[in-house]
Amino acid sequence: MVTTFGMSEIGPWSLVDGSQSGDVIMRMMARNSMSEKLAEDIDAAVKRLSDRAYEIALSQIRNNREAIDKIVEVVLEKETMSGDDFRAILSEFVEIPAENRVAPAVPAPLSVSA
């Protein structure tokens, strides 16, 4: 996010050439071609994003502990869970935003041609 899409305070630009390979050696070589200060800024930006995501996840777990415990219980029993089942359990504990609700599948009526 930081180097590829420029999503940080470093700047709204990509610091990675789109043609660069995902190969580890190529990434290490690209890192050697930038200043140490820029590399430190990138590392700090990535750490801030990671730390923030961790705090949000931890907060969601703490605030929705009962729902998570119920979901874990079902997954331990069945080993899998569909998105609809997940939303059904979650909706017992919190309100699901309208844009995340999935309407139940209703078969279309059959038309009879004469």
Side-chain angles (χ1 to χ4, degrees):
M1 286 175 45
V2 174
T3 58
T4 305
F5 302 111
M7 298 176 73
S8 75
E9 65 283 347
I10 294 172
W13 57 80
S14 174
L15 299 171
V16 175
D17 179 6
S19 64
Q20 283 183 346
S21 152
D23 188 322
V24 173
I25 293 172
M26 293 301 289
R27 285 186 280 154
M28 288 172 52
M29 288 172 51
R31 186 172 180 96
N32 289 335
S33 69
M34 67 178 71
S35 74
E36 194 164 314
K37 170 76 168 102
L38 180 56
E40 288 171 3
D41 289 349
I42 290 169
D43 290 344
V46 170
K47 179 155 178 29
R48 281 191 296 278
L49 284 169
S50 176
D51 288 349
R52 179 69 182 129
Y54 176 79
E55 290 302 322
I56 290 170
L58 206 53
S59 172
Q60 290 296 322
I61 291 169
R62 285 183 181 136
N63 294 337
N64 299 291
R65 188 61 202 215
E66 287 182 64
I68 290 175
D69 287 345
K70 178 65 176 175
I71 290 166
V72 166
E73 181 182 309
V74 171
V75 170
L76 286 172
E77 180 183 317
K78 296 183 179 181
E79 296 184 7
T80 62
M81 177 182 292
S82 71
D84 290 338
D85 291 342
F86 177 83
R87 282 184 287 277
I89 292 170
L90 194 58
S91 68
E92 295 173 19
F93 300 92
V94 297
E95 184 168 342
I96 307 290
E99 63 271 11
N100 293 335
R101 291 185 204 139
V102 176
V106 178
L110 295 173
S111 60
V112 178
S113 309

